[in-house]
Amino acid sequence: MPTTPSLPGLTLVRHPLVQHKVSLLRDRSTPTKIFKELVDEIAMLMAYEATIDLPLEPVDVETPLERTVGQRVAGKKLTLVPILRAGLGMVDGILKLVPSARVGHIGLYRDHDTLEPVDYYFKIPGEAGERDFLVLDPMLATGGSAVSAISALKRAGAARIRFLCLVAAPAGVTRVHEAHPDVPIFCAALDRQLNEHGYILPGLGDAGDRLFGTR
């Protein structure tokens, strides 16, 4: 899947089912239950694309008829790292695709005055250098939280990191790529811009509030 030429490092997941579900996700009349289900489904479809080049290794398999050689994902188990709290909404969908994946957590919130991230929690499985990480956050707005989360993972020894979001703003994509050019970014929609409060336009509102029914 090609990257977007004007924004290096970004891959747009253009599958028709993903684009259809994103339109439903944007609709302000979509209730919380359906919103959660859509985030779950889009995350699963995106993870299929984001994991397309995971390394494989041969494995012997005994079928009902004979012995053969198959393929399995090499190395430590894939690790999902949602950025709390909205990133939690993407975890279950990907676990349906990769049920053996491990799950870490990074707690960040955005200061409403400075729009910069404030960290409060970090927990991931050990042997980070041997794992493939998917960092999850529905929105890539200013990019501050994404940069902070990726930096924290690298300090813990992570070397193979991919960032998955549902909707991104150009400013956020640029900021993440400039800070971490080795980290591919996958999103379902690249939106127009940020407003004065750091929200993505046209966007879909506050993903965390819409996932958990808060304001």
Side-chain angles (χ1 to χ4, degrees), residues 38-132:
L38 288 166
V39 170
D40 187 274
E41 293 163 359
I42 296 169
M44 179 173 62
L45 292 168
M46 290 185 64
Y48 183 81
E49 299 289 349
T51 56
I52 196 167
D53 60 351
L54 287 179
L56 295 171
E57 62 185 9
V59 58
D60 290 333
V61 178
E62 198 74 46
T63 81
L65 298 176
E66 64 179 30
R67 191 175 184 84
T68 188
V69 177
Q71 299 287 324
R72 68 180 177 190
V73 175
K76 294 288 183 180
K77 295 186 186 302
L78 181 70
T79 300
L80 314 180
V81 184
I83 297 177
L84 303 177
R85 64 182 168 138
L88 290 171
M90 300 174 69
V91 171
D92 286 347
I94 302 176
L95 284 176
K96 291 175 185 174
L97 185 68
V98 194
S100 64
R102 301 292 174 84
V103 181
H105 297 87
I106 295 179
L108 296 168
Y109 67 88
R110 187 168 63 169
D111 185 286
H112 288 291
D113 295 323
T114 66
L115 302 183
E116 291 301 311
V118 178
D119 65 292
Y120 64 90
Y121 188 77
F122 181 88
K123 184 74 171 180
I124 63 169
E127 301 176 286
E130 300 178 29
R131 299 181 182 277
D132 287 271

